[in-house]
Amino acid sequence: ALGHYHNAVLHFTGLDQSSMNGMGGNAVALDASVKDSIQKELIATWSNMTACYLKQAKFEKVLQTASKILDKDPKHIKAIFRKGEALYMLGNLDRAHQTVLEAAKLAPQDRGIRELLDKVKGDIRALEEKSRQELKQNLKV
């Protein structure tokens, strides 16, 4: 599936660039609605790619692709959520918490987001408790 998505990205990117490279060296201006459609399809394709990368545990690729989406659409909920998942899986709990919290603000009723937020918060609490215990042990010595 990823190969097809990569081909689609190349296609959509080429279509968007075609406004600058018309036949015979003349620039061809694309209609605003066509450009908007290209951007929507490109974002949808990148979004599907982030889902594939998550399933393949390619978390750095998830972050890279989600960033492309968020550059075009800063409130793209799936990109924010998947970025949060990737950060969580990479063990970056603070950034994961911030990112998933952002997603929760945009989609407070989304069960998947709430579950991930609970998981991140639980891991942060567990890590804080472990640190407290280690500190107590060190103070006893």
Side-chain angles (χ1 to χ4, degrees):
L2 272 170
H4 293 293
Y5 291 136
H6 281 288
N7 286 337
V9 167
L10 292 173
H11 176 73
F12 292 130
T13 304
L15 284 175
D16 197 29
Q17 297 298 318
S18 70
S19 64
M20 294 182 267
N21 304 319
M23 299 284 278
N26 297 327
V28 177
L30 292 178
D31 183 81
S33 65
V34 172
K35 281 188 158 214
D36 188 49
S37 293
I38 291 169
Q39 287 301 307
K40 286 179 182 176
E41 291 299 325
L42 190 55
I43 288 170
T45 302
W46 281 330
S47 183
N48 291 336
M49 289 172 77
T50 60
C52 290
Y53 288 137
L54 270 174
K55 288 183 187 241
Q56 295 177 346
K58 294 181 178 178
F59 305 120
E60 292 294 338
K61 289 292 235 175
V62 173
L63 296 177
Q64 291 170 0
T65 309
S67 291
K68 291 177 185 179
I69 297 168
L70 295 170
D71 286 344
K72 305 267 185 202
D73 182 0
K75 293 186 179 187
H76 192 280
I77 193 67
K78 286 182 181 179
I80 298 168
F81 176 66
R82 291 177 182 148
K83 176 181 176 182
E85 285 183 295
L87 290 166
Y88 175 75
M89 296 306 293
L90 289 167
N92 193 331
L93 296 179
D94 289 335
R95 283 188 57 211
H97 181 255
Q98 292 171 347
T99 303
V100 178
L101 197 57
E102 180 184 349
K105 288 176 184 175
L106 293 171
Q109 303 303 318
D110 188 294
R111 191 176 81 193
I113 292 172
R114 288 194 324 266
E115 288 173 359
L116 181 58
L117 186 57
D118 289 343
K119 200 182 329 181
V120 172
K121 285 180 178 179
D123 283 7
I124 289 172
R125 280 192 297 273
L127 193 59
E128 288 171 345
E129 181 58 31
K130 182 180 176 186
S131 293
R132 276 193 292 277
Q133 294 302 322
E134 288 175 358
L135 182 60
K136 283 181 184 180
Q137 288 297 325
N138 288 338
L139 291 175
K140 288 181 182 180
V141 173

